[in-house]
């Protein structure tokens, strides 16, 4: 696998060097430059400490879901189960959730990972409550136990704010994550209600199942 990964690095370098625009901007690449580029590419693609922070989130969990129809309403309580595993050789955590919300079947798929280059955490989520994929990016605080995930920018345009299904207009959404040492964790979905203030829309409490 390491040989294959290094082959990909060298292939990427060769493609860059063969690109006339790249060659024009960098001049004639020297062996020293090629070695530095190889090191940078290997750093970008190799799992490390950023990924290790997600290890507590791997496992099987019992999930308690609370959903607020309005900020002042009593939350609707539901249950689910979730299995989270490492995928792509420890680069991302994949989460598969199955349960009910408001008495109706509900399931979702999520991915979270750490981008070594941007030094930011990224997560994507999709579920049966929508036909859209939601993307977040953010980082842990100084304690390393809590993270706030906000809108992600790509190619100069924003994948968020998420369109509100009732108004079809963009609406800011925020994902707040807190992780305990034993793997129990909580995710909170915050969105904009009728006013400008963000309010809690959904809370999922994950309790790790005992082996």
């Amino acid at each position: 696998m390491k040989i294959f990964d290094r082959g990909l690095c060298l292939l990427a370098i060769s493609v860059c060097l063969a690109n006339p625009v790249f060659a024009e901007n960098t001049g004639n690449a020297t062996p020293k430059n090629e070695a530095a580029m190889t090191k940078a590419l290997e750093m970008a693609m190799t799992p490390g400490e950023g990924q290790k922070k997600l290890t507590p989130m791997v496992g099987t969990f019992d999930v308690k879901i609370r959903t607020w129809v309005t900020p002042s309403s009593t939350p609707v309580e539901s249950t689910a189960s979730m299995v989270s595993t490492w995928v792509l050789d420890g680069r991302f955590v994949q989460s598969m959730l199955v349960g009910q919300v408001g008495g109706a079947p509900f399931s979702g798929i999520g991915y979270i990972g750490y981008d070594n280059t941007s030094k930011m955490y990224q997560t994507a989520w999709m579920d049966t409550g929508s036909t859209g994929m939601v993307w977040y990016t953010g980082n842990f605080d100084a304690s390393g136990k809590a993270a706030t995930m906000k809108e992600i920018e790509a190619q100069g345009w924003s994948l968020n704010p998420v369109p509100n299904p009732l108004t079809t207009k963009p609406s800011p959404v925020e994902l707040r994550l807190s992780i305990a040492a034993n793997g129990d964790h909580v995710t909170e979905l915050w969105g904009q209600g009728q006013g400008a203030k963000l309010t809690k829309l959904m809370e999922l409490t994950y309790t790790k199942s005992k082996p």
Side-chain angles (χ1 to χ4, degrees):
M1 180 59 68
K2 289 184 178 179
I3 295 176
F4 179 70
D5 287 348
R6 182 169 177 80
L8 283 178
C9 286
L10 296 177
L11 175 61
I13 290 174
S14 65
V15 170
C16 288
L17 294 177
N19 187 307
V21 175
F22 183 89
E24 180 180 348
N25 291 335
T26 60
N28 296 324
T30 65
K32 183 177 180 180
N33 289 337
E34 290 183 14
M37 292 163 60
T38 300
K39 182 178 179 180
L41 287 170
E42 288 181 342
M43 182 281 294
M45 68 194 306
T46 304
E49 292 302 317
Q51 288 73 25
K52 287 181 181 179
K53 280 189 177 182
L54 301 175
T55 299
M57 297 181 68
V58 174
T60 300
F61 298 85
D62 296 319
V63 188
K64 179 180 178 181
I65 304 173
R66 298 201 299 166
T67 308
W68 284 263
V69 179
T70 65
S72 60
S73 64
T74 301
V76 177
E77 297 191 357
S78 311
T79 59
S81 60
M82 187 177 76
V83 177
S84 296
T85 58
W86 284 112
V87 295
L88 299 179
D89 298 324
R91 288 171 173 81
F92 305 94
V93 175
Q94 173 186 272
S95 298
M96 310 286 286
L97 181 144
V98 177
Q100 291 190 339
V101 171
F106 179 81
S107 59
I109 303 173
Y111 292 88
I112 185 171
Y114 180 74
D115 182 355
N116 292 345
T117 302
S118 68
K119 302 188 184 304
M120 298 287 284
Y121 286 87
Q122 299 174 352
T123 182
W125 178 260
M126 61 210 87
D127 57 44
T128 54
S130 172
T131 54
M133 298 174 63
V134 187
W135 302 73
Y136 305 92
T137 187
N139 228 322
F140 283 87
D141 61 15
S143 72
K145 299 178 181 179
T148 300
M149 315 290 283
K150 297 184 179 182
E151 65 182 87
I152 184 170
E153 301 285 333
Q155 302 300 325
W157 58 280
S158 175
L159 294 176
N160 267 356
V162 178
N164 186 304
L166 300 178
T167 65
T168 71
K169 295 181 180 180
S171 177
V173 176
E174 190 171 287
L175 184 69
R176 301 177 185 179
L177 166 67
S178 59
I179 307 177
N182 65 353
D184 294 351
H185 56 284
V186 177
T187 58
E188 298 177 356
L189 183 66
W190 289 70
Q192 195 173 61
Q194 296 180 353
K197 184 179 179 180
L198 293 181
T199 60
K200 187 187 295 188
L201 305 176
M202 181 177 284
E203 177 186 271
L204 295 91
T205 302
Y206 305 85
T207 302
K208 182 170 283 190
S209 302
K210 297 181 179 180

